Amino acid sequence: MAPAHVVQDRTMRVGPRVTTSFDTMLAAGLSAYGASKAALEASCVSFAKDLESTGVTVNILVPGGPTETPGFFPPGKPRPPILLDPEIMAVPVVWLASSQSDGISACRFIARDWDRSLPTAEAAARARAPAAWPGLAQAASAARGHPM
């Protein structure tokens, strides 16, 4: 649960948390990285549910592909032919930290899909999806006979 001063503010944001693409979470050679990002994504949804009535929001932001960041690609190993510029995260992260994102929680935003030529609300809507793949969770829950 969030500290009392965060909940009392009612406009605070947790994050946005930066994770990675689902396929990267499952990639060979990235077990610790993928597992930590999957845990972060799942915790986003849990925290968002815990904080639902407080006004505090929790969201995920992903670049949307391999990104030119120092230290990620091991020396001597092949790098992807196309790398995203980390600057693509700037506009969505500022929007997520602003009052324009009030009430939006438990979502995943893909920076690559953020169209800067659109009004910010429309760009955000197009880059937005539910965090932590709720369809997978709902299917598992239904198979056990317990609603989410």
Side-chain angles (χ1 to χ4, degrees), residues 36-143:
S36 68
K37 295 298 187 173
L40 189 59
E41 185 121 1
S43 70
C44 166
V45 174
S46 294
F47 289 146
K49 288 178 180 180
D50 289 344
L51 297 167
E52 192 169 37
S53 65
T54 69
V56 177
T57 61
V58 188
N59 289 293
I60 296 289
L61 179 61
V62 296
T67 306
E68 181 67 60
T69 51
F72 185 78
F73 300 103
K77 297 281 183 170
R79 294 165 60 91
I82 298 172
L83 294 172
L84 298 174
D85 184 336
E87 288 293 318
I88 65 168
M89 303 285 276
V91 172
V93 81
V94 168
W95 181 84
L96 283 164
S98 77
S99 61
Q100 293 177 33
S101 68
D102 283 356
I104 296 174
S105 199
C107 293
R108 154 185 260 266
F109 292 85
I110 301 173
R112 182 197 65 226
D113 295 342
W114 192 283
D115 186 343
R116 293 180 184 205
S117 70
L118 298 174
T120 54
E122 188 176 343
R126 288 186 181 199
R128 175 181 168 186
W133 310 278
L136 294 175
Q138 289 168 348
S141 179

